């Protein structure tokens, strides 16, 4: 009895469903969704601040810095002296300590006592920070002032084990996190920019259309207030006097909505083979021909032995390894794909997939289409 492929009807149904979905997506008009101003912009002066510190991680099981790192040895000696233990640097030979760089983000309006997550990265030749504990480390801002202190057990999402002739590693064991490992000691120095009589709204991504729409939305919600878009990334709201509550005014501005105009953009990641395209990216009429040339080189090794019975052979008689190389080329026929005017990137990818092009080939085709001027949008290569 012949076998029946029970999965074929489901595969055909999935293919037809995908084609119908792509067709409906291309036919449906693009409607800009309303977004809040707080999702695409921020108030001038409200931002995070970078904090950095240098510290030591103790408790490592022989995976810390070696004695070749003189900075680590000197740091350990200085730390012990602070606890009243006088030791010479020449006596420190343990690999249970590693020098690290500690980084964190100080949020806007942070107050003393607030906890922050910190990242710890090895600065020496330590093999792993797994199981280590960060000693009390001051975190400084760009103005060289102390804003937070960090300490605690390090969480490492990886490992490394070594033997005499083998080793195994997962992820990056020389980088770790300490959740809520830092405590703010001094409030953030940055506040809302200006003297209070005016507020500046800064767009996360500069765009003239969105800036004009933000200004129009604020002008409609706050009659009598001077609002102007200075450029594509900044909208100034001038109250003329200090408002009774700046916080209330900022909250009102943040919750106003506009119809955001998104840029037509295709993002391509060559390392992972990922292609992400917005629904408003359109293509011009274009014909695509893409062929592959496959070259296979194979080398086999055989051993040639001397023939006959040899009694006390000379130094020139020995077994010889003979390589045999086979070379084969296969040039596939270049399929021709035609894309009509106004098609989307989804239509293009579906058509290229139909002729069995890989993701890498699709990326190459997209780059060529952009160079030919048939891609109505921005192509970003990561």
């Amino acid at each position: 009895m012949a076998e029946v492929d029970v999965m074929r009807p489901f595969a055909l149904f999935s293919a037809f469903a995908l084609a119908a979905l792509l067709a409906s997506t291309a036919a449906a008009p693009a409607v800009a969704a309303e977004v809040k101003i707080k999702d695409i912009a921020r108030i001038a002066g409200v931002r995070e601040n970078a904090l950095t510190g240098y510290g030591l991680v103790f408790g490592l099981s022989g995976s810390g810095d070696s004695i070749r790192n003189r900075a680590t040895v000197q740091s350990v000696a200085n730390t012990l002296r602070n606890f009243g233990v006088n030791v010479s640097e020449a006596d420190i030979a343990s690999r249970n300590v590693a020098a690290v760089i500690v980084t964190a983000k100080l949020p806007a309006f942070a107050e003393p006592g607030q906890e922050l997550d910190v990242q710890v990265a090895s600065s020496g030749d330590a093999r792993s920070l797994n199981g280590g504990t960060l000693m009390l480390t001051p975190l400084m801002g760009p103005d060289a002032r102390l804003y937070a202190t960090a300490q605690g057990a390090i969480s490492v999402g990886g490992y490394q084990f070594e033997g005499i002739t083998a080793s195994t590693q997962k992820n990056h064991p020389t980088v770790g996190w300490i959740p809520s490992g830092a405590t703010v000691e001094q409030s953030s120095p940055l506040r809302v920019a200006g003297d209070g009589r005016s507020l500046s709204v800064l767009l996360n991504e500069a765009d003239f259309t969105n800036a004009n729409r933000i200004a129009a939305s604020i002008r409609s919600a706050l009659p009598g207030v001077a609002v102007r878009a200075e450029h594509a990334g900044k909208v100034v709201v001038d109250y003329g006097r200090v408002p009774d509550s700046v916080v209330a005014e900022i909250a009102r501005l943040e919750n106003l909505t506009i119809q955001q105009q998104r840029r037509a953009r295709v993002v391509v990641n060559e390392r992972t083979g990922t292609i992400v395209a917005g629904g408003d990216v359109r293509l011009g009429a274009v014909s695509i021909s893409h062929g592959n040339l496959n070259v296979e080189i194979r080398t086999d090794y055989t051993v040639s032995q001397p023939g006959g019975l040899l009694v006390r052979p000379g130094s020139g008689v020995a077994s010889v390894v003979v390589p045999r190389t086979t070379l084969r080329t296969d040039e596939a026929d270049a399929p021709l794909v035609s894309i009509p005017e106004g098609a989307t990137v989804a239509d293009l990818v579906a058509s290229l997939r139909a002729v069995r092009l890989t993701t890498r080939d699709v990326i190459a085709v997209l780059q060529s289409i952009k160079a030919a001027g048939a891609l109505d949008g921005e192509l970003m290569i990561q």
Side-chain angles (χ1 to χ4, degrees):
M1 180 182 294
E3 294 185 358
V4 178
D5 188 358
V6 297
M7 296 303 296
R8 182 175 180 82
F10 295 99
L12 292 175
F13 175 77
S14 300
F16 284 120
L18 177 59
L21 178 61
L22 291 175
S24 62
T25 302
V31 179
E34 288 193 349
V35 297
K36 293 183 178 180
I37 292 179
K38 65 191 302 182
D39 296 329
I40 62 173
R42 62 180 178 85
I43 302 299
V46 180
R47 65 177 182 86
E48 293 181 336
N49 301 272
L51 301 179
T52 309
Y54 172 85
L56 295 175
V57 173
F58 287 81
L60 303 177
S61 180
S63 60
D65 294 341
S66 65
I67 59 176
R68 294 192 300 269
N69 291 271
R70 303 306 304 171
T72 304
V73 175
Q74 182 180 356
S75 300
V76 173
N78 294 339
T79 301
L80 294 177
R81 291 191 189 99
N82 293 333
F83 290 98
V85 179
N86 294 323
V87 61
S88 173
E89 296 181 9
D91 298 331
I92 300 176
S94 172
R95 294 206 62 169
N96 295 343
V97 184
V100 294
I101 298 297
V102 184
T103 58
K105 291 288 187 179
L106 182 66
F109 312 111
E111 295 294 338
Q114 183 175 341
E115 294 182 342
L116 310 174
D117 296 339
V118 297
Q119 185 180 34
V120 182
S122 172
S123 62
D125 60 353
R127 297 190 297 269
S128 175
L129 300 179
N130 194 14
T133 300
L134 177 68
M135 288 287 293
L136 187 65
T137 302
L139 300 180
M140 319 295 288
D143 55 358
R145 297 176 61 184
L146 185 145
Y147 288 97
T149 55
Q151 70 174 3
I154 301 176
S155 174
V156 179
Y159 57 79
Q160 182 184 40
F161 300 102
E162 294 183 352
I164 298 177
T165 59
S167 63
T168 180
Q169 177 177 328
K170 178 182 178 181
N171 297 336
H172 297 278
T174 54
V175 179
W177 286 88
I178 306 179
S180 302
T183 303
V184 177
E185 303 294 340
Q186 185 177 178
S187 59
S188 174
L190 296 179
R191 301 293 179 181
V192 176
D195 55 2
R197 289 194 295 267
S198 65
L199 296 174
S200 297
V201 181
L202 306 180
L203 279 72
N204 297 334
E205 184 175 356
D207 186 271
F208 285 103
T209 301
N210 290 333
N212 184 60
R213 291 179 180 179
I214 289 176
S217 178
I218 297 175
R219 194 177 297 113
S220 176
L222 301 176
V225 176
V227 183
R228 68 182 186 279
E230 286 198 354
H231 49 72
K234 183 178 181 180
V235 176
V236 178
V237 183
D238 190 358
Y239 292 93
R241 59 178 181 82
V242 179
D244 297 334
S245 176
V246 177
V247 174
E249 291 299 326
I250 293 177
R252 183 188 302 181
L253 295 178
E254 287 183 337
N255 287 280
L256 296 177
T257 60
I258 68 165
Q259 286 190 344
Q260 181 187 10
Q261 186 180 66
R262 293 181 173 86
R263 293 187 176 182
R265 179 177 294 170
V266 180
V267 180
V268 174
N269 192 319
E270 288 188 318
R271 297 186 300 274
T272 61
T274 304
I275 303 174
V276 179
D280 51 353
V281 180
R282 299 290 172 176
L283 301 174
V286 63
S287 296
I288 304 166
S289 177
H290 185 83
N292 291 326
L293 174 64
N294 299 321
V295 179
E296 180 182 356
I297 301 176
R298 181 177 178 180
T299 302
D300 298 324
Y301 296 90
T302 60
V303 179
S304 176
Q305 299 282 359
L309 179 63
L310 301 178
V311 180
R312 300 180 65 182
S315 59
V317 179
S319 300
V320 178
V321 178
V322 180
R324 294 182 178 178
T325 302
T326 303
L327 190 147
R328 184 174 65 88
T329 61
D330 180 18
E331 187 173 7
D333 295 334
L336 181 63
V337 178
S338 297
I339 303 297
E341 183 78 26
T344 65
V345 175
D347 299 331
L348 170 66
V349 174
S351 301
L352 296 180
R353 288 296 191 185
V355 296
R356 301 183 180 276
L357 259 66
T358 65
T359 304
R360 303 287 180 182
D361 295 331
V362 174
I363 293 175
V365 170
L366 284 173
Q367 293 174 334
S368 300
I369 292 177
K370 179 62 177 179
L375 178 63
D376 298 334
E378 180 183 359
L379 180 63
M380 295 182 61
I381 308 295
Q382 294 182 345

